[in-house]
Amino acid sequence: HGLVRALLAGMVKGVHEGYERKLQIQGVGYSFRIVDNAVGFKGVFSFDRPFPLPPVVKAELSDKDTVLTLRSPDKVVLGRVSADLRRLAAADRYKGKGVRFLGEAISLKARKGAK
């Protein structure tokens, strides 16, 4: 009964308040673009690679186009879409450039010759 109650409570909260996830892109010249309900990356790839969003997910950009806010009433779909976007251009372990969740700390690896 606990699982069913939790799933129903999540659905009610999604319809009433909605869920949101924020993604941040970091790197010189990197930014997000939104074109026809698809999210694109500027400066990450050498070619245009749009990621189509499901109809229940809405995207907004911040002022500097480095923070992408995804909103949806469905928590599962929102989590899957945000994880897929992050996986497309994951943060580099040496320089820290790429997509991460807002506020996520990336532990950088030591470079060659570091003591």
Side-chain angles (χ1 to χ4, degrees):
H1 296 292
L3 175 65
V4 173
R5 190 213 65 80
L7 291 175
L8 288 174
M11 289 179 197
V12 169
K13 181 184 176 193
V15 170
H16 186 266
E17 299 173 19
Y19 293 100
E20 81 171 22
R21 285 275 176 107
K22 292 189 178 192
L23 296 169
Q24 176 185 14
I25 193 165
Q26 196 166 19
V28 176
Y30 287 10
S31 63
F32 289 112
R33 294 183 310 129
I34 298 177
V35 179
D36 298 332
N37 204 28
V39 175
F41 303 102
K42 180 180 173 189
V44 177
F45 303 110
S46 61
F47 52 92
D48 193 21
R49 187 176 187 176
F51 182 82
L53 295 175
V56 295
V57 177
K58 303 299 178 208
E60 294 177 6
L61 288 174
S62 68
D63 296 333
K64 295 185 179 184
D65 297 339
T66 58
V67 176
L68 178 71
T69 304
L70 299 173
R71 290 191 173 90
S72 175
D74 192 350
K75 187 177 185 178
V76 175
V77 172
L78 182 65
R80 186 179 326 122
V81 167
S82 61
D84 289 344
L85 276 170
R86 183 175 176 255
R87 193 175 303 119
L88 277 178
D92 182 25
R93 303 296 270 164
Y94 291 97
K95 296 181 183 178
K97 299 186 329 183
V99 178
R100 62 183 79 184
F101 293 113
L102 188 66
E104 178 184 8
I106 301 292
S107 60
L108 299 179
K109 286 185 157 184
R111 294 187 179 204
K112 185 177 174 181
K115 292 184 181 182

